[in-house]
Amino acid sequence: MAQNSTIEWTDATWNPVTGCTKIGPGCDNCYAERFAERWRGVPGHPYEQGFDLTLWPNRLAQPAQWKKPRMIFVNSMSDLFHKEIDRSYIDRVFAVMESADWHVYQVLTKRSSLMLDYVEKRYAGGGVPDHIWLGVSVEDRAHRSRIEHLRRINSRARFISFEPLLGPIGDVDLAGVAWAIVGGESGPRARPMHPSWATEIRDICQRDDVAFFFKQWGGARPKSGGRLLDGEEWNGFPTHIVPEPILDALRS
Ligand code: SF4
């Protein structure tokens, strides 16, 4: 099941919301905040308001305008399940993802209980469409409850980002999770990742049949420490959850 990708994706980010507030140690050195705050007060700049939570309804049409399938990272500069985002607005974001269904969307959150609650109501016991990948970000053992929330979502396309990995996760059941990504922190205040934290997750992924991707060690710059784990690259990608029509379109 876990295999490397042979797909040539065009990657894209789509930010119908920007800005956020911190909810855990994984947020301490938030890249999005650092980037956005550089532009606070610059008239006319998209981040003139810095990292304040801001809705951008004029961006909702973007995915429908991209005709070629893309792997779209939703809200790379925010968290779609932030408690101050109105449910009606999240509805609009999901409606776009459901209708522009030739793309794959990655929705990553730390507000896992709110995501669970939202999708349970939206899909009323039915499954989330395969092209909408729902993921949680988990930085250490103390935040493993996010994994439990994720595993309760009725979806084949569940993923976990262990980035920045700040401590050991411990033994955890990842059965039913499609993809796990591990990465160390990058930036001027990067906290180091111990190799055993990463290898522990890799071993659990192998046991539980989860595609495993090792992104980077991190450091002052993302590429500072390279991306070899135990002397190998780990490029697992869950091709099996990419809907067939999208795979066909990408191959043509
Ligand atoms: S949840 Fe994500 S976007 Fe929000 S502050 Fe934390 S790291 Fe940044």
Side-chain angles (χ1 to χ4, degrees):
M1 182 196 278
Q3 51 193 309
N4 289 342
S5 170
T6 52
I7 303 174
E8 289 296 323
W9 289 97
T10 306
D11 290 318
T13 53
W14 174 43
N15 283 295
V17 185
T18 57
C20 193
T21 49
K22 300 184 181 203
I23 61 159
C27 300
D28 286 353
N29 298 323
C30 174
Y31 163 82
E33 179 195 36
R34 203 163 61 235
F35 178 85
E37 286 297 333
R38 279 170 46 200
W39 307 102
R40 181 180 287 279
V42 177
H45 193 279
Y47 291 101
E48 181 180 357
Q49 70 296 330
F51 204 46
D52 299 346
L53 192 75
T54 309
L55 307 186
W56 298 89
N58 60 334
R59 297 179 181 174
L60 287 169
Q62 284 174 340
Q65 291 160 356
W66 297 329
K67 298 302 174 199
K68 191 172 164 50
R70 296 183 180 193
M71 174 79 79
I72 299 176
F73 188 17
V74 180
N75 275 357
S76 61
M77 296 295 288
S78 182
D79 185 329
L80 185 59
F81 295 98
H82 191 286
K83 63 179 182 341
E84 284 170 24
I85 301 175
D86 231 49
R87 199 176 189 90
S88 62
Y89 194 75
I90 301 176
D91 284 343
R92 293 175 73 185
V93 172
F94 267 75
V96 169
M97 296 193 289
E98 288 162 4
S99 65
D101 62 358
W102 55 93
H103 302 302
V104 166
Y105 299 88
Q106 297 178 337
V107 180
L108 183 63
T109 189
K110 288 188 174 73
R111 278 91 176 171
S112 52
S113 62
L114 297 179
M115 178 164 76
L116 171 63
D117 180 63
Y118 180 82
V119 295
E120 275 184 346
K121 293 194 173 99
R122 185 170 189 89
Y123 297 104
V128 181
D130 275 2
H131 73 286
I132 301 176
W133 295 11
L134 299 180
V136 294
S137 180
V138 181
E139 62 270 55
D140 58 22
R141 185 196 294 265
H143 296 87
R144 294 194 334 183
S145 61
R146 295 179 191 147
I147 299 175
E148 289 319 306
H149 294 144
L150 180 74
R151 292 179 72 230
R152 283 168 51 196
I153 290 176
N154 184 357
S155 163
R156 295 200 316 141
R158 291 176 290 211
F159 70 103
I160 303 172
S161 170
F162 295 100
E163 184 189 11
L165 187 57
L166 300 178
I169 295 295
D171 194 13
V172 65
D173 185 357
L174 296 186
V177 172
W179 195 26
I181 301 141
V182 167
E185 191 164 53
S186 316
R189 288 186 297 275
R191 293 160 283 184
M193 173 169 65
H194 194 283
S196 68
W197 307 342
T199 53
E200 177 184 55
I201 295 172
R202 177 203 58 197
D203 294 347
I204 293 170
C205 287
Q206 290 180 335
R207 182 194 70 198
D208 292 344
D209 203 13
V210 179
F212 175 75
F213 187 92
F214 184 72
K215 192 165 161 191
Q216 77 215 1
W217 284 103
R221 287 175 304 282
K223 293 188 176 154
S224 300
R227 53 181 307 265
L228 297 182
L229 177 64
D230 274 352
E232 281 183 53
E233 281 189 16
W234 299 84
N235 295 316
F237 183 82
T239 312
H240 66 285
I241 53 166
V242 181
E244 206 55 48
I246 299 181
L247 277 180
D248 288 347
L250 289 164
R251 287 183 185 124
S252 63

